[in-house]
Amino acid sequence: MSDFKTQPNNPLHGVKLADIMVFLVERYTWEELAAKIDINCFKKDPSVKSSLKFLRRTPWARTKVEQLYLRAVNKTSGKK
């Protein structure tokens, strides 16, 4: 059975965390990301690689990043 059939309403299905981080870094500065989500990996010597390592181990932070991504994508596409 394909994953699409098991997660048809998941807007993050098929979106890699690395792609989310690249999108957010291109859209916002690291400083803006740190202001929006108060985590040290965005504040001290930030990089996509270090952020991915932290986010993969920290579910609450990953959830916040994914929510910010969804809001940003919805604004870009004009959806509410």
Side-chain angles (χ1 to χ4, degrees):
M1 183 186 294
S2 79
D3 287 336
F4 180 74
K5 290 181 182 175
T6 59
Q7 297 187 24
N9 296 321
N10 182 352
L12 293 171
H13 180 69
V15 181
K16 296 178 183 176
L17 184 57
D19 294 337
I20 290 172
M21 282 305 305
V22 169
F23 175 86
L24 291 174
V25 170
E26 288 175 355
R27 183 171 176 95
Y28 306 106
T29 65
W30 285 108
E31 293 80 17
E32 288 175 308
L33 284 174
K36 292 177 180 299
I37 304 171
D38 188 21
I39 52 178
N40 284 333
C41 67
F42 291 169
K43 294 177 183 179
K44 185 177 179 186
D45 196 25
S47 72
V48 170
K49 185 177 178 180
S50 66
S51 297
L52 289 172
K53 186 175 179 181
F54 176 75
L55 294 170
R56 287 183 177 128
R57 293 185 325 223
T58 316
W60 66 264
R62 182 179 181 145
T63 298
K64 288 181 179 267
V65 167
E66 290 172 343
Q67 289 171 347
L68 177 62
Y69 170 77
L70 290 173
R71 287 193 306 270
V73 167
N74 285 340
K75 280 185 183 178
T76 302
S77 65
K79 295 179 184 176
K80 287 186 177 183

